[in-house]
Every structure is written in C-alpha cells, then in structure tokens.
C-alpha cells in the first residue's frame, strides 16, 4: 500500500452511506454486506458520525464492528471494566498528553481492531490523535531506526496487591497464579514470582511489524512509554530517588539489555505526536482503527470526557 503523506481517517456519515441519521440506520448499514473489512484496511481508521448512537445501542453496534471482543489481559494502562469486554479509555489525569502507541504492541498478541465510543464529549480538548504507522517509522532518523532493529526488552514489576503501578491480579484479570504462569509461558516471556507476592516479567519483542494484509512495515513498540525518559525529568528524578530503574513498575532496554538513549525516546515520542491527526469528539461518535496500521494517543482536556474502548482480534 502506497504511503499517503496527507492521510486522515475516513469520516462516514448518514448522507455518505445513504443511511438514516439514527442508531438503527448505522446498525442496518453494519449488518449489510458493506465490505467493512476492506474499507478499514484501505482507510486505516474510520469515524462514524451523525448517527446519534447512545450507550443503549452501543452493545449492538459493537457486536457488528467487533464480533469477537477481547479482554484487556496483560494490559498495562489503568482502566475500568464497564461491560462485556468494554473498558474506559486510559485513566490518566486530564492535563497530560498520552503519546502515540499501538495497543499492546509490547505483548505477544495484540488486538487487530480498536473501537472508541464517545459517551460524553469533553468541555475542551481531549482529541484522540491517530498516526499512520508507516509515516511514524519514516519520520525517525536512520540512526534511531537502525538501533531498534534487534528489538526491545520490556520489564514489568507487578505487585501483589499493594505497591506502585498495577497489580498482577488487575493486569491478568485473575487471582490464580497458575493461570498467570500458563499465560506467560504461552507468551514466551520470562518471569519470576517474588517474595513480596509480586511478579517480574521480561519480554523480548520486535520494534516494527508488517501488516498481514498490506505488508506495510510500521513502527510498533512502546519503548517511549515504558522508558523513564518518557515520564519527564521531574517525574523520572523523583522515581530514581526512591528506587532503581530495574525495580520500576515498567521499564525498557534494547534487546541485549543495553540502555536506550533518552534522546531516542523523546524523538520517537515527539515525532509520533507531530505526525498525528486529531479526531475531535462529538457525543455519539465512534472511531474504528486498524491497530497495526494506526497508532493512537490522547490530547489534554477539560470537563467530564468519557470515552469507552473495546478491542478484537
């Protein structure tokens, strides 16, 4: 697929689809033979707008857009489960930007689709920026791309119920250690249970991947979000004052264990955000993205923004 430097998500409204401007109009369109799979691969991200979808119709819409919704098992972001594999979007304070990333690109399996639903639009700001993964990869300096070729090593320190960051019970949605062992074995991870009831997990993952249909190579890792430099100097300094980097809730190195330079991390973060296109929310909007072709994030906001998210294979 040729890279379009002017790429933006495709907006689908009742007029363009020849559908009624109602939730039933969208449901009827999605239930028809509409070629949605091909449409998503072609445009990478789709915005459904003007149908007046509410939380009451959302389950039926999700069943059509995400026929096999996945649990957020091994997810590293703070979320609240609000339905059948439906979650709040990442619950970071509203004044912070969430940098670009592909959902669970650090894991051995990741969702192929993400669906966002605007249950309540923010007072101001709060856009979901989306970035073409090909453009993001091409925006990086050759030196940075080359350094990441062998991949990265992610480290998680998950506490057993009390501590900094997420617990292993929340992360794996179970309190059964045997189930966690089975999951991590299947993931090809290395892990050890600690005396304090927590678990340390290490995974070696690639820095890029190719889309299974288009063959496009895209930037596909979360090194900038797992690296302490991505937290900013003040936060990083505070954490270093109370613990070693190896003991942080999450950290990342190059595949051989050598440190990733802070300037590489900030370049990845900043160029991803610079290359992104903002999707501004209106209540009832839905955003469907191909999670390999497109990364996403969040702009700061004011007001009671509520975005729900679900994912599927």
């Amino acid at each position: 697929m040729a890279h379009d430097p002017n790429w933006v998500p495709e907006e689908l409204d009742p007029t363009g689809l020849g559908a009624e401007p109602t939730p039933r109009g969208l449901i009827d369109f999605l239930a028809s033979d509409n070629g949605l799979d091909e449409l998503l691969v072609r445009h990478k991200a789709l915005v459904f707008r003007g149908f007046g979808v509410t939380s009451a119709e959302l389950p039926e819409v999700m069943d059509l857009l995400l026929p096999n919704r996945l649990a957020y098992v091994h997810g590293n972001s703070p979320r609240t489960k609000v339905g059948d594999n439906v979650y709040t979007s990442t619950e970071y304070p509203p004044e912070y930007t969430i940098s670009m990333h592909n959902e669970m690109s650090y894991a051995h399996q990741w969702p192929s689709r993400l669906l966002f639903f605007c249950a309540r639009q923010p007072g101001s700001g709060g856009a979901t920026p989306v970035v073409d993964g090909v453009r993001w990869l091409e925006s990086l300096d050759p030196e940075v791309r080359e350094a990441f070729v062998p991949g990265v090593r992610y480290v998680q320190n998950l506490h057993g119920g009390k501590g900094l960051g997420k617990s292993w019970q929340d992360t794996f949605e179970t309190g059964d250690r045997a189930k966690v062992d089975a999951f991590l074995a299947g993931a090809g991870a290395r892990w050890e249970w600690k005396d304090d009831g927590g678990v340390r997990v290490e995974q070696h993952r690639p820095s890029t991947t190719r889309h299974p249909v288009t063959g496009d190579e895209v930037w596909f890792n979360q090194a900038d979000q797992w690296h302490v430099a991505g937290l900013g100097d003040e936060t990083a300094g505070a954490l270093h004052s109370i613990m070693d980097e190896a003991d942080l809730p999450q950290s990342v190195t190059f595949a051989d264990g050598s440190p990733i330079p802070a300037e590489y991390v900030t370049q990845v973060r900043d160029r991803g955000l610079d290359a992104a296109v903002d999707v501004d929310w209106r209540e009832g909007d839905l955003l469907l993205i191909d999670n390999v072709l497109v990364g996403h994030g969040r702009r700061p906001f004011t007001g009671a923004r509520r975005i729900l998210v679900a994912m599927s294979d």
Side-chain angles (χ1 to χ4, degrees):
M1 180 182 291
H3 169 52
D4 179 2
N6 300 311
W7 173 84
V8 295
E10 180 76 358
E11 185 171 319
L12 303 174
D13 60 20
T15 300
L17 296 181
E20 293 183 3
T22 64
R24 178 50 53 186
L26 177 59
I27 289 167
D28 288 345
F29 167 75
L30 295 175
S32 66
D33 185 11
N34 51 51
L36 185 67
D37 292 348
E38 293 79 8
L39 195 67
L40 180 59
V41 169
R42 185 184 322 132
H43 294 290
K44 307 184 181 183
L46 306 174
V47 178
F48 296 92
R49 174 167 286 160
F51 292 96
V53 175
T54 71
S55 297
E57 297 89 18
L58 184 60
E60 189 170 0
V61 172
M62 282 190 168
D63 286 345
L64 293 165
L65 288 171
L66 304 177
N68 184 30
R69 289 202 296 278
L70 303 173
Y72 189 55
V73 175
H74 205 183
N76 69 323
S77 295
R79 303 179 188 271
T80 300
K81 193 170 187 176
V82 298
D84 182 13
N85 289 342
V86 180
Y87 302 82
T88 57
S89 58
T90 301
E91 296 170 353
Y92 285 144
E95 63 269 26
Y96 294 115
T97 295
I98 298 176
S99 60
M100 308 310 296
H101 60 286
N102 303 79
E103 200 64 45
M104 298 182 71
S105 58
Y106 55 84
H108 77 296
Q109 288 185 320
W110 48 80
S112 61
R113 288 184 180 184
L114 299 182
L115 179 67
F116 300 88
F117 169 69
C118 181
R120 184 180 301 164
Q121 67 190 58
S124 65
T128 293
V130 288
V131 64
D132 180 334
V134 175
R135 182 179 179 188
W136 192 3
L137 176 62
E138 292 178 348
S139 75
L140 303 176
D141 292 349
E143 175 188 3
V144 174
R145 293 200 303 267
E146 183 65 24
F148 275 91
V149 166
V152 295
R153 180 184 298 176
Y154 298 103
V155 177
Q156 288 175 290
N157 290 293
L158 304 170
H159 62 79
K162 186 176 181 181
L164 188 64
K166 292 183 71 175
S167 70
W168 62 263
Q169 294 93 332
D170 286 340
T171 298
F172 296 103
E173 294 193 359
T174 182
D176 187 337
R177 287 192 179 194
K179 289 183 178 180
V180 176
D181 289 339
F183 180 91
L184 293 174
R190 298 173 58 188
W191 74 99
E192 61 175 334
W193 293 98
K194 300 191 289 186
D195 292 340
D196 62 4
V199 62
R200 178 182 175 88
V201 181
E202 294 189 16
Q203 302 176 90
H204 174 208
R205 301 293 180 224
S207 60
T208 67
T209 193
R210 290 191 179 274
H211 191 270
V213 175
T214 70
D216 288 339
E217 185 180 16
V218 297
W219 186 251
F220 199 76
N221 68 82
Q222 287 177 231
D224 63 306
Q225 291 193 327
W226 287 57
H227 197 287
V228 68
L231 300 173
D233 292 341
E234 184 176 342
T235 302
L239 286 172
H240 276 307
S241 70
I242 60 174
M243 63 177 61
D244 293 334
E245 187 167 339
D247 296 323
L248 291 172
Q250 58 187 41
S251 59
V252 64
T253 65
F254 285 127
D256 63 0
S258 60
I260 301 173
E263 60 269 24
Y264 287 9
V265 169
T266 54
Q267 180 181 132
V268 169
R269 179 195 65 199
D270 294 347
R271 292 191 184 175
L273 284 164
D274 289 345
V277 178
D278 284 354
V279 175
D280 293 306
W281 289 109
R282 303 174 195 170
E283 203 158 301
D285 285 354
L286 297 116
L287 168 65
L288 181 68
I289 68 173
D290 185 306
N291 186 47
V292 173
L293 293 174
V294 172
H296 66 281
R298 190 199 71 187
R299 304 292 186 185
F301 66 93
T302 63
R305 178 186 188 269
R306 182 172 173 82
I307 306 295
L308 302 182
V309 62
M311 55 200 79
S312 74
D313 55 12

